[in-house]
Amino acid sequence: MSKKHPVIAVTGSSGAGTTTVKRAFEHIFHRENISAAVIEGDSFHALSRTEFKAAMKKAEAAGNNHFSHFGPESNHFDKLEELFKSYGKNGKGKKRYYLHSDEEAAQHNQRLGTKLSAGEFTPWEDVPSGTDLLFYEGLHGLVSHGKINVAKYVDLGVGVVPVVNLEWIQKIHRDAAERGYSAEVIVDTIMRRMPDYVNYITPQFSHTHVNFQRVPTVDTSNPFIARDIPTPDESLVIIRFSHPKGVDFPYLINMIPNSFMSRANTLVVPGGKMGYSMELILGPIIEDMIAAKKKA
């Protein structure tokens, strides 16, 4: 934990909607004139797209049908821990980019003078100096594995956790629309990832400071045949605070129409107010971080 160089981690599984949280943070950073070192979780995968496919086939041949992007064999948990630790200590560390598309590859090739392709990584480079904080968004922002404990170095951990059926619906529709995958391939991916999901994704949400869980108010009992993703207006968002002491719940309820408390540490808000609620809740926390940083 660091007052001088705070680390913020937004974590959630593939298709969970962490991008919504990232956008809320961007608004806060812009409004407060905060310079953030932005870290993409995919950049800490250990294997390129081609290498992962080969490793998955090798694992299947050996009888392992659960090799996935969620597990330790596919990720540099140690390098992520070292980045958080190093940044918290002196504001420094190493980062890189995973190239999702040809457009991203062209952009970074021009910047770096490289000839990389989509599905590969850029070389490791220094985190920009003089940033106010580090902001991570991805799969493993609070992961633990053996002696590795990434959560130990996180000052603010935010979980994005739709109920699992909704998460699957979002993934099925996204992968079909953006990547052209068939329903069978997507379901196979979900099943293959399940052990690593249980062991490395889910436990992180016990270490977050704030969780945002979207719950649909329509029937999602069979996510594999759902024709539509439930809209924000067809959802509620359950916001859980790990340390509710000091949270001004009456103020939040007054500011967020139709919100209410379901437990002493839990606020429920309309789905359409998720982004607004995030800014309302997280903005003051980040302001306090920056104030403490200036005093450190």
Side-chain angles (χ1 to χ4, degrees), residues 213 215 235-241 249 252-253 256-263 265-271 273 277:
Q213 183 176 45
V215 179
S235 311
L236 295 173
V237 177
I238 315 300
I239 305 171
R240 188 272 297 165
F241 299 85
F249 286 104
L252 294 174
I253 291 172
I256 306 170
N258 300 314
S259 61
F260 61 93
M261 291 181 67
S262 60
R263 286 190 176 184
N265 66 341
T266 305
L267 182 69
V268 182
V269 306
K273 295 296 183 181
S277 301

Side-chain angles (χ1 to χ4, degrees), residues 22-79:
K22 183 179 180 180
R23 191 175 299 117
F25 273 102
E26 288 172 347
H27 291 165
I28 295 169
F29 295 158
H30 177 74
R31 185 169 62 244
E32 301 299 328
N33 195 28
I34 293 171
S35 172
V38 178
I39 305 298
E40 299 173 358
D42 289 353
S43 66
F44 283 83
H45 286 329
L47 304 171
S48 68
R49 190 175 297 166
T50 300
E51 290 169 341
F52 178 81
K53 290 179 180 178
M56 185 173 68
K57 288 183 179 179
K58 184 178 180 180
E60 289 175 349
N64 177 10
N65 294 316
H66 297 291
F67 186 84
S68 83
H69 278 117
F70 291 173
E73 297 85 0
S74 304
N75 294 279
H76 290 302
F77 291 165
D78 56 340
K79 292 183 182 296

